[in-house]
Amino acid sequence: MAERPIDLGWVRVFAAVGEMGSLSSAAGILGLTQPAVSYQVRRLEEQMGVSLLQRQHRGVELTPEGRRLFDVASRTVDDVDALVRSFRSQSERPAIRLRTDYAFSSLWLIPRMHTFRLLYPEMDIQIVATQRMEQGPSDGDIAVVFGTRQEFGRNATLLLPERVVPICTQGFLDRNGPFFDPFEIAGARLLHLDSRAPSPWFDWKSYLAELGISRDAAVGQGELSFNTYSLVVQAAIGEQGLAIGWMGLVDSLLSSRMLVAAGPMLEAKDRGYWLLPPKAQSAETDRLAAWLISEAGMDPVKAQDL
């Protein structure tokens, strides 16, 4: 018949007794009673068939067999405790959910995340992107949301005011431009971002209306529409037409000359991307919020200050 395995719980109790040199002291650090500690050590002795402790008037002393077991048990218990602490440390690393839309996450946030990782390598970030954010963050989240100052609370911070300019490749501009006159833009092949009506941001209709142009829908034959802004930008890079470029999202493409500005810039000062603070604030969310503001190159302007 196979021998019954040693109860590792008893070994941990014995290691505590050997460390403290006292049954009562070991009971105190283990959260047990002194009789319970004495019972478990006695059961361990019975199962091993040797005496491990010599009970004295004050405390206990390890027998030679007890000393040999203590040398092994104490190292094992310390190693297990260290491993458990490492597991807990990994599971308790600061993790923040940052919620935003596809355009901001893919064109603004992701290219900059390496700088945040260098600053805070211990923080875990979960980026949750949706097509359009409708609500603020839940507990522990930070959100970057497009909209107007009236839509958000007084603690929202404007990161990127809405400034737009027509964009295309230099090749498309050479073949179809220049577009010095807004009427020439209205007659070009345009790339559209689908949105609910009325559009919450500049679309071609509202952009041209700001310039006093009413575009005939029949002009836009053969044009393309997309449900995400990243696809609009890719189509512009592919020389499929003229797109609306949001400054802050397409800056790197303009500076690298992959795309060029091809018309007048317009700004909607009360619209843009807003940083919404979490309901449950922490040191980690404060770091992330401060980094977002710094990367946007903005002074922390609150909604009520505009």
Side-chain angles (χ1 to χ4, degrees):
M1 179 180 296
E3 294 185 0
R4 182 179 176 184
I6 297 293
D7 189 319
L8 295 181
W10 299 346
V11 175
R12 175 178 283 278
V13 170
F14 169 75
V17 173
E19 178 72 25
M20 303 302 297
S22 165
L23 294 171
S24 59
S25 296
I29 65 171
L30 293 171
L32 301 172
T33 63
Q34 191 270 347
V37 170
S38 179
Y39 170 78
Q40 293 188 46
V41 172
R42 190 163 56 250
R43 291 297 305 275
L44 182 62
E45 291 176 320
E46 292 172 356
Q47 191 168 2
M48 298 188 71
V50 296
S51 177
L52 300 173
L53 298 177
Q54 290 180 351
R55 277 73 170 176
Q56 299 179 340
H57 178 65
R58 291 185 177 180
V60 295
E61 184 175 337
L62 297 175
T63 66
E65 293 81 5
R67 171 58 59 184
R68 291 172 62 188
L69 177 61
F70 175 76
D71 289 342
V72 174
S74 60
R75 291 196 303 270
T76 301
V77 168
D78 288 345
D79 289 346
V80 170
D81 288 344
L83 185 61
V84 170
R85 285 193 298 270
S86 71
F87 289 158
R88 288 175 176 171
S89 177
Q90 292 176 9
S91 65
E92 294 171 0
R93 288 176 61 183
I96 304 174
R97 286 200 311 165
L98 193 160
R99 300 196 302 144
T100 188
D101 62 24
Y102 292 136
F104 186 86
S105 60
S106 63
L107 295 173
W108 191 93
L109 183 60
I110 299 302
R112 291 172 168 82
M113 280 305 298
H114 70 283
T115 61
F116 185 85
R117 307 306 305 154
L118 292 174
L119 288 172
Y120 306 109
E122 76 285 358
M123 287 179 59
D124 292 338
I125 304 295
Q126 179 188 10
I127 299 173
V128 181
T130 59
Q131 178 57 14
R132 172 151 168 84
M133 299 284 295
E134 298 290 350
Q135 299 177 351
S138 58
D139 289 351
D141 289 339
I142 283 182
V144 177
V145 186
F146 187 94
T148 66
R149 60 183 176 183
Q150 291 84 5
E151 294 181 65
F152 310 119
R154 292 174 58 83
N155 291 325
T157 302
L158 182 63
L159 285 182
L160 298 176
E162 185 181 18
R163 293 185 297 123
V164 300
V165 64
I167 56 173
C168 63
T169 64
Q170 185 64 54
F172 183 88
L173 183 62
D174 291 341
R175 289 190 300 272
N176 299 278
F179 303 112
F180 296 126
D181 191 313
F183 284 99
E184 295 170 335
I185 296 176
R189 187 167 69 249
L190 304 182
L191 303 173
H192 301 271
L193 175 62
D194 289 336
S195 65
R196 66 189 184 188
S199 174
W201 42 68
F202 274 119
D203 57 11
W204 280 118
K205 180 178 179 180
S206 57
Y207 174 88
L208 292 170
E210 286 284 323
L211 300 175
I213 305 298
S214 178
R215 188 174 190 247
D216 187 345
V219 174
Q221 294 181 3
E223 296 181 349
L224 295 173
S225 297
F226 302 90
N227 68 334
T228 67
Y229 186 60
S230 297
L231 294 178
V232 173
V233 172
Q234 288 300 314
I237 294 173
E239 301 195 344
Q240 299 300 309
L242 199 61
I244 291 179
W246 272 268
M247 304 306 296
L249 301 185
V250 299
D251 295 43
S252 63
L253 297 173
L254 293 174
S255 62
S256 67
R257 301 292 292 177
M258 289 185 68
L259 294 171
V260 296
M265 181 178 295
L266 297 181
E267 180 174 359
K269 293 184 178 180
D270 67 335
R271 288 203 309 252
Y273 278 103
W274 296 81
L275 172 64
L276 307 187
K279 294 179 181 178
Q281 192 172 0
S282 68
E284 288 74 29
T285 58
D286 286 347
R287 292 190 190 105
L288 180 55
W291 176 81
L292 288 167
I293 292 171
S294 175
E295 284 294 309
M298 298 291 293
D299 292 326
V301 179
K302 300 296 185 183
Q304 68 266 26
D305 297 329
L306 296 181

